[in-house]
Amino acid sequence: MSTPAAGSNPARITSEVVAKVAKLASLKLSEDEITLMTSQLSGMLDHFADIDKLDLENVVPLAQPFPLKNVFREDVIVKGLDRDEVLAAAPAAEDGRFRVPPSSGLGEQ
Amino acid sequence: MSNASSAPQHSTALPNGWEMVVGLEVHVELDTKTKLFSASPNRFGDEPNTNIDPVTLGLPGALPVLNKHAVELAIRLGLALNCKVQPSTFHRKNYFYQDMPKAYQISQYDQPINIDGYMMLPGDVRIGIERAHLEEDTGKSTHIGGTSGRIHGSDYSLVDFNRAGVPLVEIVSRPDIRNSDQARQYVAELRSILLAVGASDAKMEEGSMRCDVNVSVRKPGEPFGTRCEIKNVNSIRAVGKAIDYEARRQIDVLESGGTIRQETRHWDDSEGRTHTLRTKEDADDYRYFLEPDLVLLDPDQEWIESIRASLPMLPAARRAQLAELTGANKESESVYVIVERGQDEYIAAVANAGGDAARALVYVQQAFAEEGASPKVAAKDIATLTQMERDAKLTATQAKTILSEMVANGGGDPVALAAAKGFEALDTSAVEAMVDAAIAQQADAWAKYCAGEEKAMGALVGAIMKASQGKADGKVVTAILQARRAK
């Protein structure tokens, strides 16, 4: 099902990679959507390849487009949300907690 | 086999020349008032979901703002672990799980705040610290139904978000650990450092300090083997047991012709074994990308230096100082115990008051276990007690009795206490007379002792101590008996 996008370097991205990323992001894509995304993502990667060709030896990598750093708040407690109000908005709650279906996701901790 | 009762436990050697390679990832909750990116309380044990806000719940439009004090504590810890503090960024680590409603954890990835540190363990063993980075904790799920209380087979889960967003530092060691003793020493020392710098309360039983252990095995000199990561290792003792179990499991697999799969395993403390939790290839694609809602974290040098200047003396330096003062080995149990209790300054005060530091170390270790860093008994009185024992005005047993009394009463003058109890060490001629009397009475024991049966000395010493009503110095009695036999 590998379908290199027309006009792009076929090595940039395959439909398998697109399908895998979609699965990791819990997106259900049809075959047609995968084909379309593969083509569009290949176009984007072509653009990055163009940037790669530039001489960027003396350019500092940009972590963030804003000219800001060290934005902090002080360690002071501010009243948050009311539990009953929040749980009333949830699909299900029990015992002061959110009740959720058993996850098939991949957990940490 | 290892001896569970003696203080420095020794892990058993692995069979057939195998060597284990171990690295630790330790998560610690920072001791802040609020969360890493929002102003709800960071507090253990509150009613579920009472410390929540839009950022904690990942509500649309909520924006994280970094807690300055959390950054300061992370830098304190980094400096205490000899790390370089560098400009850093935050990333989103994407995965789906019910205790993380944003579907990503904000963590640090390729530019963590602290890198390239180390910790020294007994025997001048140096364990590298690869990084110590900031990240947020997740909520807490309780799985209901099914049989095991685990997620597999459960009917549903209940989620409490009080812990979600609590500031964590994850300390990642280099794979420099070679046995379970070193692993336990590493965790214990890390805990001492965390407490000393005030970065965390480091309570493993409450989950404010959590260990993941990476274990592989190889023959010395060969490349690293495939590693398994073990989670749910919740005490220092369990760290040692889990590592020893896992290394042997891997050796069994390899020696029977199998291969090790890279996977995450779960330590079951009650069964004393590890289970497969998931294989690594399922889980490892977290699609990290820069967190667009946070800016560069670039602590200026002045701030870093002011934090460095505010660090207290660290446990290793305090142990070295106490060892120097008392003449004890800096790796001895008593030195570790006293510094752990914070009583090293007290012993220095005893020495300053003219006391014998070596005796004080013994007294304080034995009698002050419940006293904390500021014992109620005045240091000058302990100083006097050490002098009385050193000058043979009291026997060791008598000194111990008076010490217990002083601790029980929260103080007291040892000279007065000794007088009230009629404790006066007997002069040597009186003891010699008692020795001669005992030899006459216990002729059998004396004959055996003279024939080289050392155990027979016990009966003689017992008789003498009884005759002296405990006032004779055991060391003097022993010396006289040995001298009599040598004649």
Side-chain angles (χ1 to χ4, degrees):
Chain A
M1 92 174 195
S2 180
T3 48
S8 290
N9 183 333
R12 296 237 194 274
I13 194 165
T14 63
S15 54
E16 281 88 353
V17 172
V18 174
K20 185 188 173 195
V21 173
K23 187 170 171 237
L24 287 168
S26 278
L27 296 173
K28 288 191 176 60
L29 298 186
S30 67
E31 285 296 319
D32 285 352
E33 285 171 321
I34 288 174
T35 306
L36 180 65
M37 296 284 171
T38 304
S39 160
Q40 291 177 342
L41 287 169
S42 291
M44 290 181 204
L45 293 172
D46 283 343
H47 178 59
F48 286 113
D50 289 341
I51 296 174
D52 268 346
K53 285 181 200 145
L54 301 175
D55 177 11
L56 301 174
E57 186 72 20
N58 297 313
V59 180
V60 180
L62 190 66
Q64 235 276 351
F66 304 115
L68 285 173
K69 61 180 187 180
N70 299 332
V71 176
F72 296 127
R73 30 171 278 278
E74 294 302 319
D75 187 24
V76 177
I77 293 172
V78 176
K79 191 176 161 27
L81 295 171
D82 179 73
R83 175 170 82 178
D84 294 340
E85 217 173 302
V86 169
L87 292 180
E94 185 177 312
D95 202 14
R97 291 173 288 180
F98 294 88
R99 178 177 166 151
V100 299
S103 170
S104 57
L106 299 163
E108 281 296 279
Q109 306 301 337
Chain B
M1 292 304 288
S2 67
N3 179 348
S5 63
S6 69
Q9 295 182 11
H10 292 292
S11 49
T12 50
L14 294 176
N16 304 330
W18 289 95
E19 173 184 77
M20 66 169 87
V21 175
V22 175
L24 292 173
E25 296 170 16
V26 181
H27 289 82
V28 296
E29 289 181 354
L30 295 177
D31 198 2
T32 55
K33 292 190 179 67
T34 67
K35 297 189 177 184
L36 185 55
F37 298 116
S38 67
S40 287
N42 164 18
R43 212 156 46 205
F44 179 81
D46 282 0
E47 281 291 299
N49 291 309
T50 50
N51 300 329
I52 56 174
D53 56 64
V55 171
T56 299
L57 294 177
L59 299 184
L63 290 172
V65 187
L66 185 57
N67 181 339
K68 187 175 184 184
H69 189 53
V71 174
E72 174 153 350
L73 291 179
I75 295 173
R76 280 178 83 76
L77 178 57
L79 294 174
L81 294 173
N82 307 294
C83 289
K84 177 174 178 274
V85 180
Q86 62 168 14
S88 65
T89 53
F90 289 92
H91 274 67
R92 292 184 181 181
K93 178 182 182 180
N94 297 279
Y95 63 93
F96 291 98
Y97 201 64
Q98 55 222 13
D99 59 21
M100 208 184 52
K102 302 193 297 300
Y104 57 85
Q105 176 192 32
I106 304 177
S107 181
Q108 296 196 298
Y109 184 50
D110 54 352
Q111 286 180 273
I113 183 164
N114 300 301
I115 56 166
D116 287 340
Y118 63 88
M119 184 198 292
M120 297 306 296
L121 298 183
D124 281 332
V125 174
R126 181 189 160 115
I127 307 298
I129 309 277
E130 188 178 312
R131 54 193 283 154
H133 69 254
L134 275 163
E135 63 184 29
E136 58 179 341
D137 210 343
T138 61
K140 201 167 174 49
S141 304
T142 309
H143 306 300
I144 307 292
T147 49
S148 60
R150 289 209 216 116
I151 189 158
H152 296 294
S154 65
D155 299 325
Y156 61 93
S157 301
L158 297 177
V159 190
D160 168 15
F161 289 110
N162 282 352
R163 197 182 68 179
V166 162
L168 295 176
V169 169
E170 179 177 346
I171 302 118
V172 182
S173 85
R174 295 198 182 279
D176 292 344
I177 295 168
R178 289 292 174 275
N179 59 58
S180 58
D181 286 341
Q182 289 174 357
R184 286 190 291 102
Q185 288 160 356
Y186 173 90
V187 176
E189 185 71 358
L190 181 56
R191 190 171 170 277
S192 298
I193 291 170
L194 286 162
L195 293 172
V197 304
S200 174
D201 63 10
K203 289 181 180 163
M204 293 186 85
E205 66 282 9
E206 288 184 3
S208 62
M209 180 171 179
R210 309 193 283 269
C211 297
D212 299 336
V213 186
N214 287 299
V215 181
S216 63
V217 296
R218 65 171 177 181
K219 294 287 172 76
E222 288 184 358
F224 290 154
T226 303
R227 69 177 194 208
C228 291
E229 180 177 1
I230 308 166
K231 290 189 175 284
N232 191 45
V233 189
N234 293 329
S235 67
I236 292 177
R237 187 188 54 86
V239 167
K241 285 175 68 178
I243 290 171
D244 282 333
Y245 173 86
E246 179 62 18
R248 280 174 178 73
R249 185 193 71 83
Q250 293 183 12
I251 291 167
D252 285 348
V253 169
L254 293 169
E255 290 193 339
S256 59
T259 50
I260 302 299
R261 274 185 309 169
Q262 187 173 347
E263 62 185 3
T264 302
R265 298 179 67 85
H266 176 96
W267 169 247
D268 186 322
D269 203 44
S270 58
E271 289 183 36
R273 52 167 300 197
T274 61
H275 302 273
T276 297
L277 203 61
R278 58 175 189 254
T279 53
K280 211 60 181 168
E281 58 268 21
D282 296 333
D284 240 7
D285 202 340
Y286 292 119
R287 294 153 295 131
Y288 280 96
F289 65 90
L290 268 170
E291 165 58 87
D293 293 335
L294 291 167
V295 299
L296 183 69
L297 171 57
D298 184 10
D300 60 53
Q301 213 51 42
E302 201 182 327
W303 189 25
I304 295 170
E305 289 315 314
S306 77
I307 294 170
R308 194 192 303 276
S310 75
L311 286 177
M313 189 186 275
L314 295 175
R318 290 169 59 174
R319 288 194 299 266
Q321 201 173 60
L322 180 63
E324 170 103 34
L325 177 69
T326 58
N329 186 317
K330 72 178 161 72
E331 293 174 2
S332 65
E333 191 195 346
S334 52
V335 166
Y336 268 85
V337 166
I338 295 299
V339 170
E340 179 86 31
R341 291 190 206 147
Q343 293 168 336
D344 44 329
E345 282 180 25
Y346 182 80
I347 290 176
V350 172
N352 280 337
D356 180 305
R359 290 305 308 158
L361 180 70
V362 175
Y363 290 0
V364 170
Q365 185 187 357
Q366 286 174 351
F368 286 40
E370 310 299 326
E371 291 284 303
S374 309
K376 289 187 284 294
V377 179
K380 71 170 171 45
D381 291 332
I382 294 296
T384 305
L385 186 64
T386 64
Q387 289 161 351
M388 291 167 76
E389 190 190 339
R390 184 193 57 201
D391 299 344
K393 290 178 185 154
L394 292 173
T395 67
T397 311
Q398 289 170 338
K400 204 172 169 182
T401 304
I402 291 175
L403 179 63
S404 310
E405 194 122 319
M406 290 166 79
V407 171
N409 299 335
D413 173 11
V415 177
L417 286 167
K421 289 201 171 298
F423 283 173
E424 292 166 71
L426 298 170
D427 68 36
T428 309
S429 61
V431 179
E432 282 181 338
M434 288 178 183
V435 170
D436 290 333
I439 288 172
Q441 276 168 22
Q442 310 258 346
D444 264 11
W446 175 247
K448 284 183 190 162
Y449 176 60
C450 289
E453 200 178 310
E454 298 298 324
K455 275 191 295 185
M457 191 205 270
L460 295 161
V461 172
I464 296 159
M465 297 308 283
K466 194 174 170 192
S468 77
Q469 295 173 310
K471 289 181 192 172
D473 188 329
K475 277 179 288 189
V476 174
V477 171
T478 306
I480 294 171
L481 281 169
Q482 282 165 344
R484 288 276 195 282
R485 179 171 68 171
K487 272 189 202 165

